[in-house]
Amino acid sequence: MSPQRLARVSSVSLLALIALCVLWEGWLAPLRPGGSWLILKALPLLAAVFGILRGRRYTSQWMSMLALLYVTEGVLRVGDPGATGVLAAFEIVLAATLFVSTTLHARNTAPSRLKRD
């Protein structure tokens, strides 16, 4: 895949993961009725939005590590009953997609891999 396509996949999965985190903990299946403080788990993702949207290699590098935390949370909560388990499965898919796309983007944009004319 080209770096531009990987950056696009990273952008879409990041924005979808942010939306999922906010909707999940705010309205769809919060830990407490009326919302929970876990909605703040979207804040670290917001720090990467502009870098990922611009296709910055450095942002892809550290976002790949951060995405693993969201994969881990999804794995831990996927067994919960009701909507929480379903939302956790979506989180696993989005965070894993984000991890793979940012890792490949960082790899494909490395200075040693860029074609020199």
Side-chain angles (χ1 to χ4, degrees), residues 34-94:
S36 74
W37 282 98
L38 271 178
I39 200 167
L40 296 177
K41 71 181 178 184
L43 286 179
L45 296 172
L46 289 174
V49 168
F50 292 114
I52 293 293
L53 289 176
R54 291 183 179 125
R56 303 273 167 103
R57 181 172 188 267
Y58 179 74
T59 308
S60 290
Q61 289 173 323
W62 66 263
M63 177 48 67
S64 66
M65 297 309 221
L66 185 62
L68 292 175
L69 292 174
Y70 292 87
V71 171
T72 303
E73 184 207 11
V75 168
L76 290 173
R77 295 180 74 183
V78 77
D80 290 352
T84 301
V86 174
L87 293 170
F90 282 123
E91 182 179 36
I92 292 169
V93 169
L94 289 173

